[in-house]
Amino acid sequence: MVKLNKIYTRTGDDGTTGLVRGPRRSKADLRVEAFGTVDEANSFIGMARLHTTTMPKFDRVLARIQNDLFDLGSDLATPGEDPAGSPPSLRIVPAQAEWLEQQIDIYNEALKPLTSFVLPGGTQLAVALHLARTVARRAERLVVALVAVEPDINKDALIYLNRLSDLMFVMARVANANGESDVLWTPGKFRGGG
């Protein structure tokens, strides 16, 4: 159980932060960047939920993802193996990414195939989901970089982020009247001026 009594501790005033275990790290550390970016994606999903009042199923999906993203943040904030005799650390498990895949399949079923890339636009919900998608992709890139220097990273965390951005893309299209209101890229449209 998490218990937070005090919001400021002054322990981070030197530019470091504590992980679940191990020595304090710089707030610019790649691991801290990774779980901080996961938190940022979670915030954008929270913003997207402001626009789901008429879409309760969408809202439930996004609420579950927000909870999973806290699991993911905890996973990334817990380096190394569990010490002998300690309870297991909270880690993303394959079932969480598999659930995302199921949601992608459900929502993608009603969408027509794309004939061009989609520009972030359309409804407020679609734009918020595109923002969440791009931040999830950035988090994924950071975790890839982190794996290169700390290979003990849970690979399911990386898979989860990859699926998450895919789901945000599909849900953004659904939010745009099942893709009918998507804003499509027209390659070279303004190369001649105008």
Side-chain angles (χ1 to χ4, degrees):
M1 175 57 90
V2 176
K3 186 175 181 181
L4 302 172
N5 289 332
K6 199 164 186 175
I7 299 304
Y8 67 91
T9 61
R10 296 191 174 105
T11 57
D13 291 351
D14 65 352
T16 65
T17 192
L19 302 179
V20 173
R21 64 171 160 255
R24 294 182 66 80
R25 296 210 186 176
S26 165
K27 291 182 179 181
D29 182 89
L30 192 52
R31 184 180 286 272
V32 178
E33 275 289 317
F35 67 71
T37 305
V38 167
D39 187 37
E40 189 179 343
N42 202 341
S43 295
F44 277 110
I45 291 171
M47 185 176 70
R49 291 184 67 198
L50 294 174
H51 306 289
T52 61
T53 53
T54 61
M55 305 173 78
K57 288 182 182 178
F58 246 49
D59 191 65
R60 284 192 296 274
V61 168
L62 295 176
R64 178 170 171 170
I65 290 168
Q66 285 192 290
N67 197 77
D68 282 351
L69 287 175
F70 259 82
D71 290 355
L72 178 56
S74 178
D75 188 333
L76 293 172
T78 310
E81 297 293 321
D82 293 333
S86 69
S89 298
L90 182 60
R91 301 286 185 205
I92 289 290
V93 296
Q96 288 168 291
E98 290 163 6
W99 180 81
L100 291 177
E101 290 175 1
Q102 292 166 6
Q103 301 311 303
I104 292 167
D105 292 342
I106 289 167
Y107 286 112
N108 197 46
E109 193 173 314
L111 298 174
K112 293 179 184 170
L114 284 168
T115 58
S116 182
F117 287 104
V118 174
L119 301 176
T123 66
Q124 289 180 327
L125 176 56
V127 171
L129 292 168
H130 278 297
L131 282 167
R133 171 186 61 79
T134 60
V135 176
R137 278 286 185 226
R138 180 160 37 95
E140 180 186 8
R141 292 190 302 271
L142 288 166
V143 172
V144 168
L146 182 59
V147 168
V149 294
E150 296 188 44
D152 66 337
I153 299 297
N154 176 9
K155 303 303 186 272
D156 290 314
L158 186 57
I159 293 167
Y160 185 90
L161 285 168
N162 191 13
R163 296 302 179 280
L164 175 62
S165 56
D166 292 339
L167 178 57
M168 294 298 95
F169 177 77
V170 169
M171 290 179 78
R173 293 198 65 215
V174 172
N176 274 340
N178 283 333
E180 296 298 322
S181 300
D182 280 343
V183 180
L184 298 180
W185 173 48
T186 305
K189 182 176 182 180
F190 299 106
R191 290 177 61 179

